[in-house]
Amino acid sequence: AITRARADLLLTGSQWGGQLTARQPSRYLVEMIDALELEPIVPADAGENPYLNRGGQVLSWPLDPLGARGDAVRAAAAAVIAAAEAREEEPDEVLTRLLAERDARATVAGVEPPTRIPASRFKDYVTDYSSTVAALARPLPERPFRQTRLGTLFHAWVEQRSGRAGIGASPDDALWEVDADEDESEASVEDAADLLRLQAAFERSEWADLAPLEVETEIDFTLATPDGTSHVVICKLDAVYRREDRGGRIEIVDWKTGRPPVGEQEREERMLQLALYRVAYHKRHGVPLDAIDVALYYVAHDLVVRGDAVYSEPELAQRWSAAREARSASA
């Protein structure tokens, strides 16, 4: 102990420790005091033995690692062992349900994504493939989201304002139809003030005085991946412009009524949707990829997010395959 001390060494003792009479100072302690030429120890009045009639306070070595819970834990363990050895013919109903749920969860690994993938969901697959596919295995109904309803109203207003009709003709269109009396509904009355603010912001934007080439146009294309699978990517382009102020370049704009991205990673993930739009427009019209600009316009914040990176179709397919392979490796 002395050789281990770095700076100070405390030497002490105890008069009581479970014995019947008070202890005298340890001979080792006395030797140390003599060697250091310190004042000798004069034992104080030991007083009453605190251990009398309190034998439970004396600890035995080695200590029970479970402490006071030891007896209860060992009894529970014995009960579990006895139950396991009994092997009841009729399993417990609750246990049966839990095991069935566990088995059902294990089957999620074999679930595959649908053939038709909305471009807006592409980022979910490439950033968290397993969770996105697992959600498909157990779809849950979603409550009507006010921001989605407001976005639908705003998109309809921009389309009507442009004087052009959207090009859909897709089997998915029925999923996004709005009831004819939507404008007269209580929800629309609720959202009127917010819709007016979005409209005012759009009127101040750089696109207010531009005439779009296309609005609400759907273009589907097949994305073939290196692993041999293929998916139809559904691209719903909000608006396409020819920017004469940029040498006649094509610009695809997506109107956003929600919150803007936080951080560079989220910004890049959201731009993947526009990267797919760029490929879709290129395949439909033959415009070179590097001649197409893309932009997200967060109307409520008057914020424009543009993507400078141009991803080719093979690069996007590789992103999908990498996410799929990562899921297989972890399964």
Side-chain angles (χ1 to χ4, degrees), residues 21-55:
T21 59
R23 289 197 184 109
Q24 295 298 312
S26 166
R27 66 183 181 87
Y28 302 109
L29 187 56
V30 172
E31 289 175 0
M32 288 294 299
I33 291 173
D34 293 342
L36 296 173
E37 299 181 352
L38 300 176
E39 293 292 330
I41 294 178
V42 179
D45 182 8
E48 183 181 352
N49 187 346
Y51 289 91
L52 288 177
N53 302 321
R54 298 180 183 179

PDB file of all heavy atoms in Angstrom, residues 21-55:
ATOM      1  N   THR A  21     -15.190  -7.664  21.857  1.00  0.00           N
ATOM      2  CA  THR A  21     -14.511  -6.588  22.590  1.00  0.00           C
ATOM      3  C   THR A  21     -13.839  -5.650  21.607  1.00  0.00           C
ATOM      4  O   THR A  21     -13.521  -6.016  20.471  1.00  0.00           O
ATOM      5  CB  THR A  21     -13.449  -7.174  23.536  1.00  0.00           C
ATOM      6  OG1 THR A  21     -12.496  -7.936  22.772  1.00  0.00           O
ATOM      7  CG2 THR A  21     -14.111  -8.095  24.566  1.00  0.00           C
ATOM      8  N   ALA A  22     -13.624  -4.412  22.084  1.00  0.00           N
ATOM      9  CA  ALA A  22     -13.022  -3.398  21.221  1.00  0.00           C
ATOM     10  C   ALA A  22     -11.588  -3.763  20.881  1.00  0.00           C
ATOM     11  O   ALA A  22     -10.845  -4.294  21.710  1.00  0.00           O
ATOM     12  CB  ALA A  22     -13.081  -2.041  21.909  1.00  0.00           C
ATOM     13  N   ARG A  23     -11.206  -3.496  19.649  1.00  0.00           N
ATOM     14  CA  ARG A  23      -9.854  -3.772  19.204  1.00  0.00           C
ATOM     15  C   ARG A  23      -8.879  -2.712  19.716  1.00  0.00           C
ATOM     16  O   ARG A  23      -9.249  -1.538  19.905  1.00  0.00           O
ATOM     17  CB  ARG A  23      -9.795  -3.769  17.672  1.00  0.00           C
ATOM     18  CG  ARG A  23     -10.465  -4.933  16.990  1.00  0.00           C
ATOM     19  CD  ARG A  23      -9.960  -4.997  15.540  1.00  0.00           C
ATOM     20  NE  ARG A  23     -10.635  -6.048  14.779  1.00  0.00           N
ATOM     21  CZ  ARG A  23     -11.528  -5.824  13.816  1.00  0.00           C
ATOM     22  NH1 ARG A  23     -11.858  -4.594  13.525  1.00  0.00           N
ATOM     23  NH2 ARG A  23     -12.084  -6.842  13.196  1.00  0.00           N
ATOM     24  N   GLN A  24      -7.629  -3.114  19.865  1.00  0.00           N
ATOM     25  CA  GLN A  24      -6.541  -2.189  20.118  1.00  0.00           C
ATOM     26  C   GLN A  24      -5.946  -1.779  18.775  1.00  0.00           C
ATOM     27  O   GLN A  24      -6.160  -2.449  17.772  1.00  0.00           O
ATOM     28  CB  GLN A  24      -5.471  -2.853  20.999  1.00  0.00           C
ATOM     29  CG  GLN A  24      -5.953  -3.204  22.405  1.00  0.00           C
ATOM     30  CD  GLN A  24      -6.373  -1.960  23.174  1.00  0.00           C
ATOM     31  OE1 GLN A  24      -5.654  -0.959  23.204  1.00  0.00           O
ATOM     32  NE2 GLN A  24      -7.562  -2.014  23.792  1.00  0.00           N
ATOM     33  N   PRO A  25      -5.205  -0.699  18.717  1.00  0.00           N
ATOM     34  CA  PRO A  25      -4.590  -0.298  17.455  1.00  0.00           C
ATOM     35  C   PRO A  25      -3.763  -1.435  16.856  1.00  0.00           C
ATOM     36  O   PRO A  25      -3.058  -2.147  17.579  1.00  0.00           O
ATOM     37  CB  PRO A  25      -3.712   0.889  17.846  1.00  0.00           C
ATOM     38  CG  PRO A  25      -4.361   1.451  19.065  1.00  0.00           C
ATOM     39  CD  PRO A  25      -4.918   0.276  19.807  1.00  0.00           C
ATOM     40  N   SER A  26      -3.835  -1.605  15.556  1.00  0.00           N
ATOM     41  CA  SER A  26      -3.086  -2.651  14.859  1.00  0.00           C
ATOM     42  C   SER A  26      -1.587  -2.468  15.091  1.00  0.00           C
ATOM     43  O   SER A  26      -1.079  -1.343  15.102  1.00  0.00           O
ATOM     44  CB  SER A  26      -3.391  -2.594  13.365  1.00  0.00           C
ATOM     45  OG  SER A  26      -2.481  -3.357  12.628  1.00  0.00           O
ATOM     46  N   ARG A  27      -0.893  -3.611  15.223  1.00  0.00           N
ATOM     47  CA  ARG A  27       0.551  -3.505  15.449  1.00  0.00           C
ATOM     48  C   ARG A  27       1.255  -2.908  14.228  1.00  0.00           C
ATOM     49  O   ARG A  27       2.274  -2.253  14.355  1.00  0.00           O
ATOM     50  CB  ARG A  27       1.134  -4.868  15.794  1.00  0.00           C
ATOM     51  CG  ARG A  27       1.092  -5.913  14.703  1.00  0.00           C
ATOM     52  CD  ARG A  27       1.649  -7.238  15.234  1.00  0.00           C
ATOM     53  NE  ARG A  27       1.659  -8.284  14.228  1.00  0.00           N
ATOM     54  CZ  ARG A  27       2.658  -8.485  13.369  1.00  0.00           C
ATOM     55  NH1 ARG A  27       3.713  -7.699  13.421  1.00  0.00           N
ATOM     56  NH2 ARG A  27       2.595  -9.465  12.499  1.00  0.00           N
ATOM     57  N   TYR A  28       0.631  -3.129  13.032  1.00  0.00           N
ATOM     58  CA  TYR A  28       1.234  -2.540  11.836  1.00  0.00           C
ATOM     59  C   TYR A  28       1.088  -1.017  11.853  1.00  0.00           C
ATOM     60  O   TYR A  28       1.980  -0.280  11.441  1.00  0.00           O
ATOM     61  CB  TYR A  28       0.566  -3.122  10.591  1.00  0.00           C
ATOM     62  CG  TYR A  28       0.677  -4.622  10.498  1.00  0.00           C
ATOM     63  CD1 TYR A  28      -0.429  -5.440  10.693  1.00  0.00           C
ATOM     64  CD2 TYR A  28       1.909  -5.218  10.214  1.00  0.00           C
ATOM     65  CE1 TYR A  28      -0.325  -6.823  10.611  1.00  0.00           C
ATOM     66  CE2 TYR A  28       2.022  -6.601  10.137  1.00  0.00           C
ATOM     67  CZ  TYR A  28       0.898  -7.393  10.337  1.00  0.00           C
ATOM     68  OH  TYR A  28       1.024  -8.756  10.260  1.00  0.00           O
ATOM     69  N   LEU A  29      -0.033  -0.563  12.376  1.00  0.00           N
ATOM     70  CA  LEU A  29      -0.254   0.876  12.474  1.00  0.00           C
ATOM     71  C   LEU A  29       0.692   1.480  13.508  1.00  0.00           C
ATOM     72  O   LEU A  29       1.279   2.550  13.299  1.00  0.00           O
ATOM     73  CB  LEU A  29      -1.715   1.142  12.859  1.00  0.00           C
ATOM     74  CG  LEU A  29      -2.179   2.597  12.861  1.00  0.00           C
ATOM     75  CD1 LEU A  29      -1.949   3.252  11.509  1.00  0.00           C
ATOM     76  CD2 LEU A  29      -3.657   2.696  13.250  1.00  0.00           C
ATOM     77  N   VAL A  30       0.891   0.776  14.607  1.00  0.00           N
ATOM     78  CA  VAL A  30       1.804   1.269  15.641  1.00  0.00           C
ATOM     79  C   VAL A  30       3.234   1.338  15.103  1.00  0.00           C
ATOM     80  O   VAL A  30       3.969   2.296  15.345  1.00  0.00           O
ATOM     81  CB  VAL A  30       1.731   0.356  16.891  1.00  0.00           C
ATOM     82  CG1 VAL A  30       2.803   0.737  17.907  1.00  0.00           C
ATOM     83  CG2 VAL A  30       0.339   0.445  17.525  1.00  0.00           C
ATOM     84  N   GLU A  31       3.643   0.315  14.354  1.00  0.00           N
ATOM     85  CA  GLU A  31       4.984   0.301  13.781  1.00  0.00           C
ATOM     86  C   GLU A  31       5.196   1.481  12.835  1.00  0.00           C
ATOM     87  O   GLU A  31       6.264   2.102  12.822  1.00  0.00           O
ATOM     88  CB  GLU A  31       5.220  -1.014  13.039  1.00  0.00           C
ATOM     89  CG  GLU A  31       5.369  -2.218  13.968  1.00  0.00           C
ATOM     90  CD  GLU A  31       5.481  -3.520  13.187  1.00  0.00           C
ATOM     91  OE1 GLU A  31       5.434  -3.446  11.923  1.00  0.00           O
ATOM     92  OE2 GLU A  31       5.592  -4.592  13.814  1.00  0.00           O
ATOM     93  N   MET A  32       4.178   1.786  12.057  1.00  0.00           N
ATOM     94  CA  MET A  32       4.302   2.916  11.132  1.00  0.00           C
ATOM     95  C   MET A  32       4.430   4.231  11.883  1.00  0.00           C
ATOM     96  O   MET A  32       5.224   5.102  11.519  1.00  0.00           O
ATOM     97  CB  MET A  32       3.059   2.967  10.210  1.00  0.00           C
ATOM     98  CG  MET A  32       3.027   1.863   9.172  1.00  0.00           C
ATOM     99  SD  MET A  32       4.354   2.015   7.969  1.00  0.00           S
ATOM    100  CE  MET A  32       3.968   3.617   7.266  1.00  0.00           C
ATOM    101  N   ILE A  33       3.642   4.370  12.941  1.00  0.00           N
ATOM    102  CA  ILE A  33       3.714   5.612  13.729  1.00  0.00           C
ATOM    103  C   ILE A  33       5.089   5.760  14.370  1.00  0.00           C
ATOM    104  O   ILE A  33       5.688   6.852  14.375  1.00  0.00           O
ATOM    105  CB  ILE A  33       2.597   5.609  14.799  1.00  0.00           C
ATOM    106  CG1 ILE A  33       1.232   5.746  14.114  1.00  0.00           C
ATOM    107  CG2 ILE A  33       2.814   6.722  15.812  1.00  0.00           C
ATOM    108  CD1 ILE A  33       0.067   5.586  15.049  1.00  0.00           C
ATOM    109  N   ASP A  34       5.614   4.652  14.875  1.00  0.00           N
ATOM    110  CA  ASP A  34       6.946   4.711  15.480  1.00  0.00           C
ATOM    111  C   ASP A  34       8.007   5.038  14.439  1.00  0.00           C
ATOM    112  O   ASP A  34       8.920   5.853  14.681  1.00  0.00           O
ATOM    113  CB  ASP A  34       7.275   3.369  16.152  1.00  0.00           C
ATOM    114  CG  ASP A  34       6.389   3.099  17.362  1.00  0.00           C
ATOM    115  OD1 ASP A  34       5.786   4.089  17.866  1.00  0.00           O
ATOM    116  OD2 ASP A  34       6.268   1.931  17.770  1.00  0.00           O
ATOM    117  N   ALA A  35       7.885   4.436  13.244  1.00  0.00           N
ATOM    118  CA  ALA A  35       8.883   4.671  12.206  1.00  0.00           C
ATOM    119  C   ALA A  35       8.867   6.114  11.736  1.00  0.00           C
ATOM    120  O   ALA A  35       9.910   6.694  11.402  1.00  0.00           O
ATOM    121  CB  ALA A  35       8.633   3.732  11.029  1.00  0.00           C
ATOM    122  N   LEU A  36       7.692   6.731  11.755  1.00  0.00           N
ATOM    123  CA  LEU A  36       7.572   8.131  11.319  1.00  0.00           C
ATOM    124  C   LEU A  36       7.752   9.113  12.464  1.00  0.00           C
ATOM    125  O   LEU A  36       7.682  10.330  12.254  1.00  0.00           O
ATOM    126  CB  LEU A  36       6.194   8.355  10.669  1.00  0.00           C
ATOM    127  CG  LEU A  36       5.934   7.564   9.369  1.00  0.00           C
ATOM    128  CD1 LEU A  36       4.489   7.731   8.908  1.00  0.00           C
ATOM    129  CD2 LEU A  36       6.895   8.015   8.270  1.00  0.00           C
ATOM    130  N   GLU A  37       7.986   8.527  13.675  1.00  0.00           N
ATOM    131  CA  GLU A  37       8.201   9.352  14.867  1.00  0.00           C
ATOM    132  C   GLU A  37       7.032  10.306  15.085  1.00  0.00           C
ATOM    133  O   GLU A  37       7.195  11.500  15.350  1.00  0.00           O
ATOM    134  CB  GLU A  37       9.514  10.132  14.765  1.00  0.00           C
ATOM    135  CG  GLU A  37      10.739   9.234  14.654  1.00  0.00           C
ATOM    136  CD  GLU A  37      12.041  10.024  14.577  1.00  0.00           C
ATOM    137  OE1 GLU A  37      11.959  11.275  14.463  1.00  0.00           O
ATOM    138  OE2 GLU A  37      13.116   9.408  14.605  1.00  0.00           O
ATOM    139  N   LEU A  38       5.818   9.732  14.980  1.00  0.00           N
ATOM    140  CA  LEU A  38       4.615  10.516  15.236  1.00  0.00           C
ATOM    141  C   LEU A  38       4.121  10.267  16.643  1.00  0.00           C
ATOM    142  O   LEU A  38       4.622   9.382  17.358  1.00  0.00           O
ATOM    143  CB  LEU A  38       3.526  10.112  14.238  1.00  0.00           C
ATOM    144  CG  LEU A  38       3.872  10.311  12.745  1.00  0.00           C
ATOM    145  CD1 LEU A  38       2.736   9.780  11.870  1.00  0.00           C
ATOM    146  CD2 LEU A  38       4.130  11.785  12.452  1.00  0.00           C
ATOM    147  N   GLU A  39       3.149  11.059  17.074  1.00  0.00           N
ATOM    148  CA  GLU A  39       2.577  10.884  18.400  1.00  0.00           C
ATOM    149  C   GLU A  39       1.900   9.528  18.475  1.00  0.00           C
ATOM    150  O   GLU A  39       1.186   9.129  17.553  1.00  0.00           O
ATOM    151  CB  GLU A  39       1.551  11.988  18.691  1.00  0.00           C
ATOM    152  CG  GLU A  39       2.156  13.375  18.827  1.00  0.00           C
ATOM    153  CD  GLU A  39       3.023  13.477  20.073  1.00  0.00           C
ATOM    154  OE1 GLU A  39       2.734  12.772  21.072  1.00  0.00           O
ATOM    155  OE2 GLU A  39       4.010  14.249  20.033  1.00  0.00           O
ATOM    156  N   PRO A  40       2.096   8.767  19.542  1.00  0.00           N
ATOM    157  CA  PRO A  40       1.457   7.462  19.664  1.00  0.00           C
ATOM    158  C   PRO A  40      -0.059   7.580  19.754  1.00  0.00           C
ATOM    159  O   PRO A  40      -0.595   8.616  20.151  1.00  0.00           O
ATOM    160  CB  PRO A  40       2.050   6.886  20.951  1.00  0.00           C
ATOM    161  CG  PRO A  40       2.467   8.078  21.737  1.00  0.00           C
ATOM    162  CD  PRO A  40       2.917   9.114  20.735  1.00  0.00           C
ATOM    163  N   ILE A  41      -0.726   6.517  19.354  1.00  0.00           N
ATOM    164  CA  ILE A  41      -2.189   6.501  19.384  1.00  0.00           C
ATOM    165  C   ILE A  41      -2.666   6.233  20.801  1.00  0.00           C
ATOM    166  O   ILE A  41      -2.188   5.305  21.474  1.00  0.00           O
ATOM    167  CB  ILE A  41      -2.736   5.402  18.447  1.00  0.00           C
ATOM    168  CG1 ILE A  41      -2.408   5.717  16.995  1.00  0.00           C
ATOM    169  CG2 ILE A  41      -4.236   5.250  18.605  1.00  0.00           C
ATOM    170  CD1 ILE A  41      -2.874   4.667  16.022  1.00  0.00           C
ATOM    171  N   VAL A  42      -3.579   7.068  21.238  1.00  0.00           N
ATOM    172  CA  VAL A  42      -4.237   6.846  22.534  1.00  0.00           C
ATOM    173  C   VAL A  42      -5.662   6.423  22.237  1.00  0.00           C
ATOM    174  O   VAL A  42      -6.474   7.236  21.804  1.00  0.00           O
ATOM    175  CB  VAL A  42      -4.224   8.118  23.406  1.00  0.00           C
ATOM    176  CG1 VAL A  42      -4.946   7.850  24.721  1.00  0.00           C
ATOM    177  CG2 VAL A  42      -2.810   8.620  23.634  1.00  0.00           C
ATOM    178  N   PRO A  43      -6.003   5.133  22.392  1.00  0.00           N
ATOM    179  CA  PRO A  43      -7.360   4.667  22.046  1.00  0.00           C
ATOM    180  C   PRO A  43      -8.427   5.461  22.767  1.00  0.00           C
ATOM    181  O   PRO A  43      -8.330   5.701  23.975  1.00  0.00           O
ATOM    182  CB  PRO A  43      -7.347   3.206  22.489  1.00  0.00           C
ATOM    183  CG  PRO A  43      -5.906   2.817  22.490  1.00  0.00           C
ATOM    184  CD  PRO A  43      -5.158   4.053  22.932  1.00  0.00           C
ATOM    185  N   ALA A  44      -9.428   5.884  22.021  1.00  0.00           N
ATOM    186  CA  ALA A  44     -10.554   6.617  22.603  1.00  0.00           C
ATOM    187  C   ALA A  44     -11.506   5.632  23.250  1.00  0.00           C
ATOM    188  O   ALA A  44     -11.368   4.410  23.113  1.00  0.00           O
ATOM    189  CB  ALA A  44     -11.273   7.403  21.505  1.00  0.00           C
ATOM    190  N   ASP A  45     -12.472   6.176  23.966  1.00  0.00           N
ATOM    191  CA  ASP A  45     -13.492   5.337  24.598  1.00  0.00           C
ATOM    192  C   ASP A  45     -14.259   4.609  23.493  1.00  0.00           C
ATOM    193  O   ASP A  45     -14.875   5.229  22.623  1.00  0.00           O
ATOM    194  CB  ASP A  45     -14.433   6.202  25.416  1.00  0.00           C
ATOM    195  CG  ASP A  45     -15.488   5.360  26.132  1.00  0.00           C
ATOM    196  OD1 ASP A  45     -15.374   4.120  26.099  1.00  0.00           O
ATOM    197  OD2 ASP A  45     -16.427   5.961  26.692  1.00  0.00           O
ATOM    198  N   ALA A  46     -14.202   3.282  23.509  1.00  0.00           N
ATOM    199  CA  ALA A  46     -14.840   2.503  22.444  1.00  0.00           C
ATOM    200  C   ALA A  46     -16.357   2.557  22.498  1.00  0.00           C
ATOM    201  O   ALA A  46     -17.045   2.326  21.506  1.00  0.00           O
ATOM    202  CB  ALA A  46     -14.377   1.055  22.522  1.00  0.00           C
ATOM    203  N   GLY A  47     -16.918   2.875  23.637  1.00  0.00           N
ATOM    204  CA  GLY A  47     -18.360   2.925  23.758  1.00  0.00           C
ATOM    205  C   GLY A  47     -18.995   1.558  23.631  1.00  0.00           C
ATOM    206  O   GLY A  47     -18.342   0.527  23.771  1.00  0.00           O
ATOM    207  N   GLU A  48     -20.291   1.532  23.395  1.00  0.00           N
ATOM    208  CA  GLU A  48     -21.042   0.269  23.309  1.00  0.00           C
ATOM    209  C   GLU A  48     -20.776  -0.420  21.977  1.00  0.00           C
ATOM    210  O   GLU A  48     -20.645   0.223  20.935  1.00  0.00           O
ATOM    211  CB  GLU A  48     -22.537   0.568  23.445  1.00  0.00           C
ATOM    212  CG  GLU A  48     -23.408  -0.690  23.436  1.00  0.00           C
ATOM    213  CD  GLU A  48     -24.892  -0.359  23.546  1.00  0.00           C
ATOM    214  OE1 GLU A  48     -25.219   0.825  23.780  1.00  0.00           O
ATOM    215  OE2 GLU A  48     -25.717  -1.269  23.392  1.00  0.00           O
ATOM    216  N   ASN A  49     -20.690  -1.730  22.051  1.00  0.00           N
ATOM    217  CA  ASN A  49     -20.465  -2.514  20.837  1.00  0.00           C
ATOM    218  C   ASN A  49     -21.677  -2.368  19.904  1.00  0.00           C
ATOM    219  O   ASN A  49     -22.779  -2.813  20.228  1.00  0.00           O
ATOM    220  CB  ASN A  49     -20.274  -3.986  21.203  1.00  0.00           C
ATOM    221  CG  ASN A  49     -19.874  -4.822  19.996  1.00  0.00           C
ATOM    222  OD1 ASN A  49     -19.977  -4.391  18.863  1.00  0.00           O
ATOM    223  ND2 ASN A  49     -19.427  -6.039  20.266  1.00  0.00           N
ATOM    224  N   PRO A  50     -21.509  -1.747  18.742  1.00  0.00           N
ATOM    225  CA  PRO A  50     -22.657  -1.538  17.846  1.00  0.00           C
ATOM    226  C   PRO A  50     -23.146  -2.818  17.176  1.00  0.00           C
ATOM    227  O   PRO A  50     -24.213  -2.835  16.563  1.00  0.00           O
ATOM    228  CB  PRO A  50     -22.098  -0.559  16.810  1.00  0.00           C
ATOM    229  CG  PRO A  50     -20.631  -0.841  16.782  1.00  0.00           C
ATOM    230  CD  PRO A  50     -20.247  -1.207  18.205  1.00  0.00           C
ATOM    231  N   TYR A  51     -22.393  -3.921  17.306  1.00  0.00           N
ATOM    232  CA  TYR A  51     -22.771  -5.160  16.632  1.00  0.00           C
ATOM    233  C   TYR A  51     -23.564  -6.112  17.512  1.00  0.00           C
ATOM    234  O   TYR A  51     -24.012  -7.154  17.052  1.00  0.00           O
ATOM    235  CB  TYR A  51     -21.518  -5.876  16.119  1.00  0.00           C
ATOM    236  CG  TYR A  51     -20.869  -5.155  14.946  1.00  0.00           C
ATOM    237  CD1 TYR A  51     -19.892  -4.207  15.173  1.00  0.00           C
ATOM    238  CD2 TYR A  51     -21.256  -5.425  13.638  1.00  0.00           C
ATOM    239  CE1 TYR A  51     -19.290  -3.538  14.119  1.00  0.00           C
ATOM    240  CE2 TYR A  51     -20.664  -4.769  12.580  1.00  0.00           C
ATOM    241  CZ  TYR A  51     -19.678  -3.825  12.817  1.00  0.00           C
ATOM    242  OH  TYR A  51     -19.091  -3.171  11.773  1.00  0.00           O
ATOM    243  N   LEU A  52     -23.695  -5.747  18.801  1.00  0.00           N
ATOM    244  CA  LEU A  52     -24.450  -6.627  19.683  1.00  0.00           C
ATOM    245  C   LEU A  52     -25.897  -6.744  19.203  1.00  0.00           C
ATOM    246  O   LEU A  52     -26.560  -5.736  18.923  1.00  0.00           O
ATOM    247  CB  LEU A  52     -24.420  -6.090  21.121  1.00  0.00           C
ATOM    248  CG  LEU A  52     -23.081  -6.229  21.866  1.00  0.00           C
ATOM    249  CD1 LEU A  52     -23.191  -5.593  23.240  1.00  0.00           C
ATOM    250  CD2 LEU A  52     -22.668  -7.693  21.963  1.00  0.00           C
ATOM    251  N   ASN A  53     -26.384  -7.982  19.127  1.00  0.00           N
ATOM    252  CA  ASN A  53     -27.760  -8.262  18.700  1.00  0.00           C
ATOM    253  C   ASN A  53     -28.061  -7.765  17.282  1.00  0.00           C
ATOM    254  O   ASN A  53     -29.214  -7.552  16.923  1.00  0.00           O
ATOM    255  CB  ASN A  53     -28.774  -7.647  19.681  1.00  0.00           C
ATOM    256  CG  ASN A  53     -28.569  -8.176  21.090  1.00  0.00           C
ATOM    257  OD1 ASN A  53     -28.284  -9.371  21.292  1.00  0.00           O
ATOM    258  ND2 ASN A  53     -28.684  -7.291  22.075  1.00  0.00           N
ATOM    259  N   ARG A  54     -27.024  -7.517  16.496  1.00  0.00           N
ATOM    260  CA  ARG A  54     -27.232  -7.054  15.127  1.00  0.00           C
ATOM    261  C   ARG A  54     -26.336  -7.866  14.180  1.00  0.00           C
ATOM    262  O   ARG A  54     -25.595  -7.337  13.370  1.00  0.00           O
ATOM    263  CB  ARG A  54     -26.913  -5.574  14.983  1.00  0.00           C
ATOM    264  CG  ARG A  54     -27.801  -4.675  15.838  1.00  0.00           C
ATOM    265  CD  ARG A  54     -27.454  -3.222  15.668  1.00  0.00           C
ATOM    266  NE  ARG A  54     -28.247  -2.365  16.540  1.00  0.00           N
ATOM    267  CZ  ARG A  54     -28.124  -1.042  16.608  1.00  0.00           C
ATOM    268  NH1 ARG A  54     -27.220  -0.431  15.859  1.00  0.00           N
ATOM    269  NH2 ARG A  54     -28.880  -0.346  17.419  1.00  0.00           N
ATOM    270  N   GLY A  55     -26.399  -9.140  14.366  1.00  0.00           N
ATOM    271  CA  GLY A  55     -25.521 -10.006  13.579  1.00  0.00           C
ATOM    272  C   GLY A  55     -25.732  -9.872  12.075  1.00  0.00           C
ATOM    273  O   GLY A  55     -24.827 -10.149  11.289  1.00  0.00           O
TER     274      GLY A  55
END
